């Protein structure tokens, strides 16, 4: 009959009632003679409680290569005839083959339990002679060393032991150990040692779990990033090809989804680093201008298809150069901005960057990110920065993310000694404010206008938020300005001839009748356009939104160049036809991606699908650079690099050859590990084209770029003073082949336009004259002939206004320049 024939809950209660009885027996022993009796009574209570057949206390006696256990005490129920009782009393010997497993498990305090049939072969063989069908073995330690174990044996049924039962047995084993220790008069010492050992075991297990988690994250990163590299890379290559609008949208969606997945992976890895305390803040000198430009470029690209307005206001008096962790500051800005974009359907997202003096006795930058999104309920503000939290989950259903961005941001800010706060009104919007201590370098400001007292700007812009950005910027730069809200006011202001610059919205500029503007005004007109819009008049410089201090200062300082936005990002900022590089990867798709991304640089590219093949190629050729996959079967990138460096004893080439690690493992410290293993640099997957360009610029030697390519460039600069080939190629999506096709068309059209323009001059046809020079104006700007485009623009304005004298005085020079340009084009083609 079972001792506890009722529910599990009540049985658990019963378990701990019996535990108290055992405690009274074992912890109140008066002399050595009482020990045996107390232990036997305890074993009886355990046996009855578990409805078992035997409970035993075994002592360890290790003999040479065998774990040998001596039976100290046994109590059995006589519920049924127990077989092999002699074997029990004869002892338990664990042979050499099983010893490492048993010894390690018992030393670590791990129990063994369950049906015998479910144990491994060695355990079944060791225990099969004892008539046991189920058992629980709980190790006992004294003075930090394995002493023996408490065993419960069931010879009738197969059963599993619950965690409550195991906990009870472990508690009982500890009390039995305490009883033995008291008899040995070392109770206090043993208890302290046991507690120390327990803490050490817990610490060891925690460290082991941490190592396992780190290894898992590293493997997860590599396994996910490897196919993601193919997806993102192939999509990038596809977007450079000619395709239908629908196909381009599909490919862009794939690339965006890949970027979102990559962001989630990075968040998980960052959170893991924060959780383990391994996230590092690396302070170094950086340029705030570059940081802001990078952030704006990324965010407005993400907002390209949205209805949101992106507003930026950067205090021009901020220092241009500072010391801080540029990467983490960029991450903070992007986390907050992209989070705002996700939760804002219409209206605006804004970034403001200013400074705070005497912040804890030093200088700090202030970052404010505001939006007109859904806002946050007051009750949810307290959990905004908790990990894996997405507030108002029902309303935000479908929004991508796992709720780590803000938690990571808060930890980064805290790690950098700053603070972050949020203010929000539900249904209206939110503002996140960050303050980060930084160190100032030098006195150069973020943006400054040369001789601002000599500048005067008239602004014609009807979008209220853009107008406000311009007003803030002008006041910040201490530049005089006038805002107008109609075409008539704009024309009247210009005709007063008191302005040095004119800022006008591109769509409004297209509606202005230029005949109303007095010809010959010395005013520089700059168009204002939404990011991604195509500007009809490409001869004028363009300010793309968001408008802020740096680009405005560049325009007013005459440092701004018109840049048309194309669907493809132009890469390959230089060419190096004399450079030879090797790309090593065991996955052919990755080789195709890498080769495609490097192709615009016009380098000689070799590929290898294994470390062995790479080593042979490197010994047979002289490369300027090697991209080496870190993880490969048989011979991985680390081993190949090691062997290459070992060849350097007799040949400097092997010691100095730049080897760049290609790795999908971006866990903390991987860069330092790679650099100590012979690599010169590393590039994470998926490959980012901007980072690729940075690596190539850093390691491709100048002499590799100074051969055929540089001679050709120098020849172009000396012969082609009317044609900016670099700008023309950039306007052609970075493809020289397409640029040459456009030049060929321009050449044929140019010859025709010369005849048409000269015909108009001969016949006095001033109606068609502006039309013909207008065609030259826009086409010349596209191919990089800025000077000719500006001349055509002046002649077009003169023709529209009826200024015959200006045309007669300048047309001959214009035709001469056009003919000279056509000669340059013919020479280039």
């Amino acid at each position: 009959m079972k001792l506890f024939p009722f529910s599990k809950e009540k049985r658990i209660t019963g378990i701990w009632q019996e535990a108290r009885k055992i405690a009274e027996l074992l912890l109140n022993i008066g002399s050595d003679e009482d020990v045996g009796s107390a232990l036997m009574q305890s074993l009886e209570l355990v046996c009855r409680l578990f409805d078992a057949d035997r409970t035993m206390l075994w002592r360890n006696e290790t003999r040479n290569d065998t774990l040998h256990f001596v039976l100290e005490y046994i109590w059995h129920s006589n519920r049924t005839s127990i077989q092999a009782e002699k074997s029990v009393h004869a002892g338990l010997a664990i042979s050499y083959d099983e010893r490492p497993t048993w010894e390690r498990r018992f030393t670590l305090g791990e129990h063994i339990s369950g049906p015998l049939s479910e144990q491994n072969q060695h355990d079944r063989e060791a225990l099969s002679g004892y008539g046991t069908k189920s058992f629980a073995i709980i190790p006992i330690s004294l003075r930090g060393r394995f002493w023996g174990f408490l065993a419960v044996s069931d010879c009738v049924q197969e059963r599993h032991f619950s965690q409550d039962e195991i906990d009870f047995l472990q508690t009982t084993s500890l009390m039995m150990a305490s009883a033995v220790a008291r008899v040995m008069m070392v109770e206090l010492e043993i208890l302290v040692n046991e507690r120390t050992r327990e803490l050490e075991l817990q610490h060891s297990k925690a460290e082991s779990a941490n190592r396992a988690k780190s290894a898992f994250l590293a493997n997860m990163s590599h396994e996910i990033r490897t196919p993601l590299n193919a997806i993102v890379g192939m999509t990038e290559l596809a977007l450079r090809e000619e395709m239908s609008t629908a196909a381009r949208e599909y490919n862009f969606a794939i690339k965006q989804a890949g970027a979102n997945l990559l962001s989630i992976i990075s968040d998980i890895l960052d959170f893991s680093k924060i959780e383990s305390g391994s996230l590092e803040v690396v302070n170094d000198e950086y340029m705030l201008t570059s940081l802001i430009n990078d952030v704006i470029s990324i965010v407005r690209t993400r907002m390209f298809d949205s209805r949101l307005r992106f507003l930026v206001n950067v205090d021009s008096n901020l220092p241009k150069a500072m010391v801080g962790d540029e990467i983490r500051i960029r991450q903070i800005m992007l986390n907050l901005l992209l989070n705002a974009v996700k939760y804002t359907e219409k209206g605006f997202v804004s970034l403001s960057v200013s400074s705070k003096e005497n912040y804890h006795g030093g200088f700090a930058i202030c970052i404010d990110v505001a939006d007109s999104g859904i806002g946050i309920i007051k009750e949810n503000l307290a959990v905004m920065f908790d990990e894996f939290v997405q507030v108002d989950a029902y309303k935000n259903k479908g929004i991508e993310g796992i709720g780590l961005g803000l938690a990571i941001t808060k930890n980064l800010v805290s790690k950098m000694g700053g603070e972050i706060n949020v203010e929000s009104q539900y249904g209206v919007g939110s503002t996140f404010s960050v303050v980060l201590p930084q160190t100032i370098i030098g006195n150069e400001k973020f943006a400054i206008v040369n001789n601002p007292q000599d500048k005067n700007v008239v602004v014609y812009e009807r979008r209220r938020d853009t107008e406000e950005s311009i007003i803030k910027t002008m006041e910040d730069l201490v530049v005089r300005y006038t805002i107008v809200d109609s075409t008539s006011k704009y024309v009247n202001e210009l005709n007063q001839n008191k302005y040095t610059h004119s800022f006008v919205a591109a769509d409004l500029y297209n509606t202005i009748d230029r005949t109303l503007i007095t010809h010959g005004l010395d005013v520089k007109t700059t168009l204002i356009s939404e990011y991604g819009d195509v500007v009809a008049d490409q001869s004028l410089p363009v300010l793309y939104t968001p408008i802020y201090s740096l680009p405005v200062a560049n325009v007013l300082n005459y440092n701004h160049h018109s840049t048309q936005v194309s669907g493809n990002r132009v890469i390959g900022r230089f060419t190096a036809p004399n450079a030879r590089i090797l790309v090593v990867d065991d996955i052919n798709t990755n080789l195709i991606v890498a080769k495609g991304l490097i192709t615009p640089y016009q380098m000689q590219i070799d590929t290898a699908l294994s470390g062995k093949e790479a080593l042979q190629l490197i010994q047979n050729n002289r490369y300027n650079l090697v991209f080496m996959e870190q993880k490969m079967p048989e011979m991985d990138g680390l081993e190949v690099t090691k062997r290459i460096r070992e060849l350097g004893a007799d040949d400097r080439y092997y010691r100095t050859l730049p080897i760049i690690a290609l790795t999908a493992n971006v866990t903390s410290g991987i860069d330092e590990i790679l650099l100590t293993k012979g690599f010169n640099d590393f590039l994470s997957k998926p490959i980012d084209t901007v980072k690729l360009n940075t690596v190539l610029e850093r390691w491709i030697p100048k002499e590799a770029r100074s051969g055929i390519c540089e001679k050709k460039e120098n020849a172009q600069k000396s012969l082609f003073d009317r044609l900016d080939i670099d700008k023309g190629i950039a306007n052609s999506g970075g493809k020289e082949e397409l640029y040459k096709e456009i030049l060929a068309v321009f050449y044929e059209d140019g010859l025709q336009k010369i005849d048409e323009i000269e015909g108009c001059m001969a016949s006095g046809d001033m109606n068609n004259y502006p039309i013909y020079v207008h065609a030259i104006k826009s086409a010349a700007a596209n191919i990089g002939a800025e000077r000719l485009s500006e001349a055509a623009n002046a002649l077009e304005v003169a023709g529209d206004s009826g200024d015959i004298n200006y045309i007669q005085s300048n047309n001959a020079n214009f035709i001469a320049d056009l003919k000279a340009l056509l000669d340059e084009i013919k020479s280039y083609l």
Side-chain angles (χ1 to χ4, degrees), residues 663-677:
T663 177
N665 180 4
V666 293
T667 52
S668 178
I670 187 64
D671 51 344
E672 296 179 2
I673 293 173
L674 293 173
L675 293 178
T676 61
K677 298 295 183 180

Side-chain angles (χ1 to χ4, degrees), residues 48-66:
R48 292 186 180 280
L49 176 65
F50 281 77
D51 194 22
D53 297 292
R54 291 184 295 236
T55 49
M56 298 164 280
L57 194 63
W58 295 81
R59 175 172 50 83
N60 171 38
E61 282 188 1
T62 300
R63 303 171 184 174
N64 298 325
D65 292 327
T66 302

